[in-house]
Amino acid sequence: MSKPIFSDKNFHEGGRGADTLPPPLEWHPPVDDGPATPWSTAHDSVLVQAAGATVAVFAVMLDFDFIERGSKDGRPKNMEWMAG
């Protein structure tokens, strides 16, 4: 049977679990997985998101302009939905 850390013997002798374990033979440094994101700072990612949102807004504005010009030129109503 294995030697449990939290046994009656350790409890009565004043051992507190991990204090009764032998010290490790060698030290292993923690694993570094690198950064969680390829962007160096949060500032960079915010700028990229703002640029993407700006492009999307301009695309919607151009789309509505194209639909509006089509309706002024006398195109059929169903063509507005096809343009959108």
Side-chain angles (χ1 to χ4, degrees), residues 25-84:
L25 299 176
E26 60 183 83
W27 183 75
H28 297 285
V31 177
D32 182 18
D33 291 336
T37 176
W39 305 104
S40 60
T41 61
H43 182 68
D44 293 342
S45 63
V46 169
L47 289 176
V48 170
Q49 290 174 0
T54 303
V55 168
V57 166
F58 282 130
V60 169
M61 288 172 54
L62 286 173
D63 199 25
F64 276 110
D65 182 54
F66 181 72
I67 293 170
E68 187 176 309
R69 282 189 288 131
S71 64
K72 285 182 182 177
D73 291 343
R75 292 191 187 122
K77 189 77 172 168
N78 64 343
M79 295 303 265
E80 291 179 9
W81 292 106
M82 293 177 80

Side-chain angles (χ1 to χ4, degrees), residues 6-39:
F6 298 110
S7 65
D8 288 335
K9 179 184 173 195
N10 286 338
F11 179 75
H12 292 299
E13 290 179 358
R16 289 183 269 166
D19 293 343
T20 61
L21 293 175
L25 299 176
E26 60 183 83
W27 183 75
H28 297 285
V31 177
D32 182 18
D33 291 336
T37 176
W39 305 104

